[in-house]
Amino acid sequence: MKIIDFRSDTVTKPSPEMWNMIKSMNNSKLGDDVIGEDPTVNELEEKAAKIIGKEAALLVTSGTQGNLVSLLSQTNPGNEILLEEKCHIVGHEVGSAARIGGLMVRTYPSNRGVPSIDHLQDLIRYKEDIHEPATTLISAENTHNFHGGAILKPEILRDLKNFAQKNELKFHLDGARIFNAAVGLNTDVTELTKHVDSIMFCLSKGLSCPVGSIVAGSKEFISKARKFRKMLGGGMRQAGIIASFGLVAIEPNWIKRLEEDHRNAKLLAEGLKSFEHPIKIHNPDTNIVILEFLKTPKIFKILTELGKEGILAFTISNKKIRFVTHYGIHEDDIQYSIDKIRNVLNRYNYE
Ligand SMILES: Cc1ncc(COP(=O)(O)O)c(C=O)c1O
């Protein structure tokens, strides 16, 4: 049976160019990265820093580790940090900011990832008050996963930067899919990253590497992050094997390929919108399509039925199914999937 896997862009496998890169490797391109001697990792970190517009960069094992080393490097235990209420750090990183960072997490509401600055201002604690924890960092997510791959535009990031500066906060960006945002806006990624103190982006999502993420910021920030990465068990040795995939992934042509995923997401959304069912399809900014049921369905039953038709997806609430387009899903797979999803919903009995 044909399987179309919309569960995440993390299911992607390396491209032929990535495999060619691996085939051309030899021992001279590897060294011990914990002591800074892996030439391929060093090359990737330099290349990533340049592309993302920061002084320095660091290869980490995952987006989760990258976000955590960024928080640890820019805060102290007992500080309060401001995070968007549906962001990945709050809901999907196992509470690491609290458990490992000793951080108080205060969430802010948003409109598809975009907060009200007035509301944020109300959340800032009084430094002078003996009772209150110090607010020291704000984080945003771009694109915003659980808001359907929503893009935060440069002017929003600029406003957040001004807010952060006014209140002496560090500004971290969970940019797991920052290149989707840049490609979606048809802008240089540095237009988005120039406003933040630290950024994490993933190599292992739409860029389709098997493993790895990048953290970037000032040289001082990266030297702290390197130490925290070691603390978290992320010091890898001949990590050039991993980094070589990343070198291909951040080539301009490979970043531009994300356009294909965005086109496919739009096609999927258009197809789903034509269904006569009590559902709402959220317009995708990038590569994530959210199908929302207007009545509360037995969502896991629907997912199981989709699975039987070869359509794999995840739920993100008891009313929403998320479909993620990515490398390996082609335009003709989209029409095929729309037909399969229609069959399942036509059979479903909404009570
Ligand atoms: C927005 C966002 N941030 C961070 C992560 C964490 O990345 P990883 O799965 O590599 O830990 C994800 C993963 O899906 C994500 O969607």
Side-chain angles (χ1 to χ4, degrees):
M1 183 175 57
K2 184 166 170 170
I3 305 282
I4 314 291
D5 193 345
F6 291 106
R7 286 173 301 172
S8 177
D9 42 12
T10 56
V11 303
T12 45
K13 301 205 177 139
S15 66
E17 293 80 3
M18 289 176 187
W19 284 117
N20 288 341
M21 183 79 166
I22 282 289
K23 283 179 201 148
S24 72
M25 279 205 94
N26 57 47
N27 284 348
S28 74
K29 296 187 180 157
L30 297 175
D32 187 337
D33 178 50
V34 171
I35 47 178
E37 288 182 4
D38 188 295
T40 313
V41 173
N42 293 342
E43 189 185 342
L44 173 64
E45 291 178 346
E46 274 166 37
K47 186 169 172 172
K50 202 160 166 222
I51 287 174
I52 212 81
K54 295 291 173 199
E55 269 179 11
L58 178 73
L59 174 66
V60 290
T61 59
S62 66
T64 301
Q65 187 179 67
N67 280 331
L68 184 56
V69 298
S70 301
L71 300 185
L72 293 174
S73 307
Q74 299 184 102
T75 59
N76 288 309
N79 288 173
E80 190 162 80
I81 60 173
L82 304 180
L83 301 178
E84 197 274 340
E85 61 191 2
K86 287 192 177 150
C87 78
H88 199 272
I89 299 178
V90 167
H92 283 74
E93 299 189 4
V94 209
S96 58
R99 176 72 166 85
I100 302 173
L103 295 165
M104 304 262 295
V105 169
R106 198 149 186 220
T107 59
Y108 61 83
S110 76
N111 177 10
R112 303 188 78 225
V114 179
S116 136
I117 299 288
D118 285 347
H119 181 80
L120 287 178
Q121 195 58 54
D122 287 344
L123 299 180
I124 298 289
R125 304 284 189 179
Y126 295 108
K127 277 207 188 72
E128 298 73 23
D129 190 315
I130 195 173
H131 305 89
E132 301 198 18
T135 319
T136 55
L137 179 141
I138 181 162
S139 176
E141 190 173 301
N142 201 10
T143 62
H144 198 299
N145 184 347
F146 294 107
H147 287 298
I151 294 177
L152 270 62
K153 295 195 175 128
E155 53 271 28
I156 302 298
L157 296 164
R158 182 205 54 213
D159 292 351
L160 284 169
K161 175 203 174 175
N162 290 340
F163 162 79
Q165 278 181 345
K166 180 176 161 202
N167 293 286
E168 295 173 27
L169 311 181
K170 293 290 182 193
F171 182 12
H172 173 66
L173 189 62
D174 176 345
R177 297 181 180 81
I178 195 66
F179 289 105
N180 291 86
V183 165
L185 292 172
N186 196 18
T187 189
D188 196 281
V189 72
T190 56
E191 288 304 307
L192 301 163
T193 58
K194 69 182 181 192
H195 299 298
V196 303
D197 296 301
S198 59
I199 164 138
M200 181 285 291
F201 74 85
C202 293
L203 297 166
S204 59
K205 298 201 163 58
L207 298 179
S208 48
C209 290
V211 64
S213 292
I214 296 284
V215 166
S218 67
K219 282 186 183 156
E220 190 194 348
F221 161 73
I222 289 298
S223 69
K224 285 187 191 161
R226 194 175 288 283
K227 196 151 183 175
F228 280 116
R229 181 187 70 172
K230 186 79 182 92
M231 181 195 275
L232 298 175
M236 297 175 284
R237 303 298 176 174
Q238 285 72 39
I241 300 273
I242 291 170
S244 62
F245 290 98
L247 281 170
V248 180
I250 56 175
E251 279 294 313
N253 68 324
W254 195 245
I255 291 171
K256 202 169 156 45
R257 193 213 57 79
L258 295 169
E259 282 173 357
E260 181 190 1
D261 303 342
H262 299 181
R263 260 197 317 276
N264 285 338
K266 283 201 172 61
L267 281 177
L268 178 64
E270 290 311 316
L272 299 178
K273 272 185 197 168
S274 68
F275 294 2
E276 288 181 7
H277 282 281
I279 57 173
K280 174 181 167 189
I281 307 302
H282 296 243
N283 281 332
D285 285 355
T286 53
N287 68 328
I288 299 180
V289 179
I290 293 187
L291 183 161
E292 181 176 8
F293 291 91
L294 301 175
K295 299 178 176 176
T296 308
K298 294 198 174 80
I299 203 139
F300 287 105
K301 186 169 165 32
I302 295 179
L303 275 192
T304 308
E305 291 304 312
L306 285 172
K308 285 184 195 159
E309 298 273 356
I311 306 298
L312 308 185
F314 278 147
T315 57
I316 56 165
S317 79
N318 63 359
K319 281 187 165 179
K320 289 181 182 166
I321 297 181
R322 185 191 73 164
F323 297 88
V324 185
T325 55
H326 53 75
Y327 178 56
I329 295 183
H330 305 287
E331 191 179 326
D332 53 352
D333 297 326
I334 299 294
Q335 191 52 51
Y336 175 88
S337 305
I338 293 167
D339 293 340
K340 295 286 180 189
I341 300 167
R342 184 188 291 107
N343 290 345
V344 169
L345 294 192
N346 283 349
R347 286 201 303 266
Y348 186 73
N349 193 8
Y350 298 90
E351 282 123 28

